[in-house]
C-alpha cells in the first residue's frame, strides 16, 4: 500500500504520531536504536530531514533507518538535495506561505527528475510556515515571512489554495524549536475548511499539548527537538498514547 493511502486510512480512524529525525544530528551508531525506539513505542511513521545539510550523513543514516523499521520512512526535505531512494515516500513541499518562487516551484523542479529516476512516492504537500514567537531555521532558509499566528482566515485561504491546487496534505509548521506551536483555533479553522489530512509540527513539547492539537483537528502530530534532547522510550510512548487517544 502506498504511504499516502496508509495516511488516509489512519486519518479516518484516529490521530497519528510522526517522529522527526534530523540526520545531521544523529550518530550513525545511534540511528538504528533511535528509529527502533520510535517504532517500538508507538510512532506511526518517521520523517527524516532538516532545514539544512551540515554534513554527509543524510543518505547513510536514511538507509539505516529504512532498514531498521517497518513503519513508513518519509523524507521531509528542507531543501531538495534530500532526494534519495532509501525511503518509502517524500513530502514534495511547496511553501505556500512564501512568495519566493524558488520555494514555491523552483526547488521542486530541481527535485522532480530524481524523484522520477528513483520511482519514489511523492506526496504533494502545502507547507505553511506559521509565526512561532522566535526566529526558526525554516523561516530564515526559505526567506519567507511566516503566517501571522492570529490570522486564522489567512491560514484557511492558504490551506484551501493548496487543496484546490491538488496537493494531498497540509503541513502547518511553526518551525523546529518554535516557542509557540500553531494555535488550536487556527488548526480548527483549517480543519473545518479542508478535506485533506493536516500535519502539525513545531514547538510540540508535551504529550498533553500534542493531544490538544490533535483534538483541535490535526491528523498527524510531529515532534523533533523534544526527542532529540531526551530520547526516552517512556516519553515517546506517552506522546503516542496521548495522540492515539483522539479518535475521528
Ligand atoms: C519542524 O515540525 C517539525 O519542522 C518539528 O518541530 O523540532 O519543534 O518538534 P520541533
Amino acid at each position: 500500500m502506498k504511504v499516502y493511502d496508509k495516511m488516509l486510512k489512519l486519518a479516518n480512524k484516529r490521530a497519528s504520531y510522526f517522529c522527526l529525525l534530523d540526520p545531521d544530528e544523529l550518530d550513525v551508531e545511534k540511528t538504528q536504536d533511535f528509529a527502533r525506539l520510535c517504532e517500538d513505542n508507538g510512532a506511526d511513521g518517521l520523517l527524516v530531514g532538516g532545514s539544512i545539510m551540515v554534513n554527509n550523513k543524510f543518505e547513510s543514516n536514511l538507509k539505516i533507518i529504512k532498514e531498521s523499521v517497518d513503519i513508513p520512512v518519509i523524507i521531509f526535505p528542507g531543501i531538495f538535495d534530500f532526494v534519495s531512494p532509501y525511503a518509502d515516500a517524500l513530502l514534495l513541499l511547496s511553501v505556500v506561505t512564501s512568495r519566493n518562487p524558488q520555494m514555491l516551484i523552483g526547488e521542486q523542479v530541481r527535485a522532480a527528475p530524481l524523484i522520477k529516476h528513483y520511482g519514489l512516492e511523492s506526496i504533494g504537500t502545502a507547507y505553511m510556515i506559521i509565526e512561532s514567537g522566535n526566529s526558526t531555521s525554516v523561516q530564515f532558509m526559505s526567506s519567507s515571512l511566516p503566517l501571522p499566528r492570529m490570522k486564522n482566515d489567512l491560514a484557511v485561504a492558504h490551506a484551501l489554495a493548496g487543496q484546490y491546487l491538488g496537493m494531498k496534505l497540509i503541513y502547518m509548521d511553526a518551525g523546529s524549536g518554535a516557542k509557540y506551536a500553531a494555535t488550536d483555533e487556527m488548526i480548527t479553522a483549517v480543519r473545518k475548511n479542508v478535506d485533506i489530512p493536516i500535519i502539525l509540527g513545531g514547538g510540540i513539547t508535551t504529550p498533553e499539548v500534542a493531544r490538544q492539537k490533535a483534538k483541535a483537528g490535526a491528523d498527524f502530530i510531529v515532534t523533533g527537538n523534544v526527542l532529540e534532547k531526551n530520547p526516552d522510550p517512556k516519553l515517546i510512548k506517552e506522546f503516542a498514547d496521548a495522540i492515539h487517544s483522539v479518535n475521528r
Side-chain angles (χ1 to χ4, degrees), residues 47-211:
L47 297 187
V48 184
S51 289
I52 188 170
M53 208 184 271
V54 296
N55 54 41
N56 58 357
K57 291 191 212 162
F58 172 68
E59 195 143 76
S60 52
N61 269 340
L62 183 65
K63 193 163 183 279
I64 294 171
I65 294 167
K66 176 80 191 85
E67 288 166 358
S68 308
V69 296
D70 293 323
I71 51 176
V73 175
I74 305 167
I75 300 173
F76 173 49
I79 42 169
F80 280 97
D81 296 328
F82 286 111
V83 181
S84 160
Y86 303 114
D88 297 300
L90 169 142
L91 297 186
L92 189 65
L93 307 173
S94 178
V95 189
V96 293
T97 50
S98 177
R99 296 299 176 265
N100 173 358
Q102 193 61 23
M103 291 297 136
L104 286 159
I105 186 64
E107 287 293 316
Q108 299 76 358
V109 170
R110 257 176 17 91
L114 215 48
I115 294 173
K116 169 87 178 160
H117 176 73
Y118 292 141
L120 199 55
E121 180 184 342
S122 165
I123 308 174
T125 302
Y127 187 60
M128 297 168 50
I129 302 176
I130 320 278
E131 186 189 343
S132 59
N134 55 349
S135 170
T136 60
S137 303
V138 66
Q139 289 171 22
F140 183 78
M141 291 304 291
S142 62
S143 353
S144 32
L145 272 179
L147 196 123
R149 56 186 270 104
M150 295 304 168
K151 300 289 184 189
N152 300 342
D153 50 350
L154 273 186
V156 169
H158 282 78
L160 274 178
Q163 177 173 310
Y164 292 154
L165 280 164
M167 295 176 191
K168 294 175 170 174
L169 297 172
I170 306 290
Y171 195 135
M172 300 174 70
D173 198 351
S176 200
K179 192 166 164 193
Y180 310 118
T183 65
D184 298 358
E185 293 73 17
M186 183 182 278
I187 297 164
T188 302
V190 172
R191 175 70 293 150
K192 279 189 181 151
N193 284 280
V194 301
D195 307 313
I196 51 180
I198 298 171
I199 306 179
L200 189 278
I204 306 294
T205 52
T206 67
E208 189 41 42
V209 171
R211 195 176 67 90

Side-chain angles (χ1 to χ4, degrees), residues 10-26:
L10 280 174
N12 284 325
K13 208 166 98 188
R14 55 152 171 81
S16 303
Y17 181 33
F18 282 168
C19 296
L20 172 64
L21 278 60
D22 185 343
D24 289 340
E25 303 288 335
L26 290 169

